[in-house]
Amino acid sequence: MSVNKPPIIQFKGVSKKYKDLLALDDVSFDIKQGEIFGYIGPNGAGKTTSIKILVGLISNYEGAVFIKNILINKAKKDLHKFMGYLPQEAGFQEWRTVDHALKTFGKLSGLKGIQLEKRISEVLNTVNLLNFRYKKIAQLSGGMQQKLLFAQAILNKPEILILDEPLSGLDPTSRYQIKKMIKEFAKKEVTILFSSHILSDVQDFADKIGILNHGKLLQVGSPEELQQKLDVSHIIEIEYKEKSPFLSHLDKYPSIISINNETPKKNIQEIQLDVNSDIESSIYILLQEIINQKAYIRGFNLLKPNLEDVYLKYIKDDDK
Amino acid sequence: MSLLLLYLDELKGYYKSKVMIILWIGLPLLSILFNYLNLDTEGVPMSYLVGILIASIGGILSSVMLSTSITSELNHHVYELFLIRPIKRTHLIVAKFCAVYTCIVIATFISLSFGLIIDFLKGGLPNMNIVIHTFESIFFTLAAIAIACAAGILIGINVSNVAASAILSVYLGGQLSILSVLPSLILPGVINPIFFGLILGVCLTLILLLIASYIFNKKQL
C-alpha cells in the first residue's frame, strides 16, 4: 500500500478561468506514489482541465502543481520522460500505421533501436493489437484506437500514468479489457490518475477518490472514508409474498425515519433507518412486527449506501 | 534531436500525400504535355516555363496543405500526443515547415530537370544566359514558396475551420509570397534583385514562423 509513501503529485490551490467561466476553483489534493486516484465528476466539472494542467498542456493558471516536488512549469520536458498520458480526445494523422505511430512516439520518448522494437511488440501484445501492427490507424475501430491510445501511454514504462476518461465510448468487452489492463499496470507500483464521470469505473480499484463538481473539489478520500463521512440513511428492503403488512405505527421509533409502502416494485416495502441509530435493534423490532402480523416474506435486505449514493449525494448537495 | 526526428517523421507523411504526388509527378508530366501540345512559348525555354509554373502552383499548394493540415490536426487533438513527450512546441511547427519545403524544393528541381531534358531533346540546351536566368527565377520562386509556407502555418494555427484556413492561405499566402519580388520591381537595376529577394524571403519567413511559434506556445490545446 501507499500509506507511508511521499506524495508524487500535488495540486496546491489551482484555479483556472476561461474568460467568464471558472473551470477550476482552488483545487488542492495530492497523490502518493503507487496510489490509484479516481478523479470523478459530471461532464464539464473540470477534470480534463486539471489533467491538462498536470501534463503541461495548459500552463496559464493560478496556484501550483508539483510532480516529485518539482514545479511542472519549470521542468516540463524532464517530467514528460516518466509520464504516460491517455487523452480524452486524441487523433492520429491518417497516413500513420500503428507501428509507425508507436515508433514516432517511442523515439520522441527516448527509446530507440531493438529496445524500441521490443517494447512496441510488448505493448501491442498487452492491448491485443499485435495482429494490427502494420495496419493504418484509420482502419481500426473506435475500441481498437482507444487501446492504441492506451498503448502509447504505457510505451515509455511511465512512473505516472494519467488516464482521462479511458473507458468513454467503449463497448462492454473493450471496457472490461482496458479495466483489466489498468489493474495489471497498477500492480507494478505505477501512480495512476484515472478520470471518469461514472463512479463504477473507478470504484473497483481506486485507493483514493476525488469528487469534482463545477470546478470545486468537493471531497477527497478513500472509498471507505467517503462512505463514512456521508450521512446517508440505510434502507431495509422487505419483499412480501402477498400484500405488505401495516407497519406505519413503527415510525414512532427514533431509529426508523420512514416507511414506504408505495415502491415501484410490487409487494416491496422500504424502511429508511437513521444511519446513527442502532441498526440491529431496528431490524429486531421490524422482524418481530412481521412475525406478529403473520406476514410471509421472500426477502429482507439491508441496503447500505454504496459509492454511487455517496457520489450522487455530494453532487446533488453541491448543485443545490 | 527531437527536431530532426519530427522533421523526418513529417517528411514521411508529406512525401506520400496526394498533393505531393501531384507536385512530384504531375508537374514534370505537364512539361512533357506542353511539349507535345506544341505550345507557342515565344522562344521562352521549357525549363523557364516550368520554373514559373512551379512557383505559382507549388507556393499556393504548399501554403494550403500546411494551413489545412495544421487546422485539421488541431481540431482532432493530434498534437496532444506529441506535446506530452519531451519536445518543444516550436519544433513541431519548424519540422512541418521544413518537411513541406523540402518536398517543394525537390519537386521544383525534378520539374526543372524535365524542362531542361525536353529543351535538350528539342535542339540542345538553351544558351547559358537563359539557364542562369532560369535558376535566378527559381531562387525567387523558392523564396516566395518559403513565405507562402510560413503564412500557411500561421493561418493554420489561428483558424479553426479547415475551409476558411484554405481560402485564407490561397489569398494571404499568395499575396505575401509576392513580396519577395518587390525589390526587383520597385528598384530595378538599383539593387541586386536576387540578393534582396532572398533576404526579404528569409526575413519574412522567419518573422512569420516566429509569430506562429509564439502563438502556438501560448495556445491551449
Side-chain angles (χ1 to χ4, degrees), chain A residues 7 24 30 65 69 83 109 146 171 187-188 205 230 269 275 280 285:
Chain A
L24 285 180
D30 53 55
V65 181
N69 290 322
M83 269 168 118
S109 299
Q146 192 73 354
D171 59 75
K187 286 179 193 164
K188 297 173 188 166
F205 44 85
L230 197 70
Q269 195 171 45
V275 74
E280 283 75 23
I285 295 164

Side-chain angles (χ1 to χ4, degrees), chain A residues 90-194:
Chain A
F92 297 91
Q93 285 136 323
E94 60 178 30
W95 52 270
R96 284 184 196 276
T97 61
V98 170
D99 180 71
H100 191 270
L102 291 178
K103 265 188 188 146
T104 300
F105 296 137
K107 282 178 189 168
L108 290 172
S109 299
L111 301 170
K112 49 190 164 186
I114 301 166
Q115 184 199 12
L116 176 60
E117 289 287 338
K118 216 176 135 189
R119 186 67 191 142
I120 290 173
S121 300
E122 274 173 19
V123 295
L124 287 178
N125 196 30
T126 307
V127 298
N128 294 324
L129 284 181
L130 202 53
N131 293 336
F132 300 88
R133 182 165 180 168
Y134 300 103
K135 279 251 179 204
K136 278 200 168 181
I137 297 169
Q139 294 169 351
L140 301 183
S141 68
M144 284 176 174
Q145 290 195 17
Q146 192 73 354
K147 285 180 189 173
L148 180 60
L149 282 175
F150 189 80
Q152 65 78 31
I154 60 171
L155 190 62
N156 57 334
K157 294 185 181 172
E159 289 174 45
I160 300 168
L161 189 57
I162 295 145
L163 310 168
D164 193 2
E165 305 255 3
L167 305 175
S168 64
L170 291 181
D171 59 75
T173 315
S174 303
R175 287 171 74 85
Y176 170 76
Q177 285 174 337
I178 290 196
K179 267 185 168 185
K180 201 175 146 199
M181 284 175 225
I182 296 167
K183 280 180 190 170
E184 294 281 319
F185 222 73
K187 286 179 193 164
K188 297 173 188 166
E189 273 293 287
V190 175
T191 308
I192 299 175
L193 188 151
F194 181 123

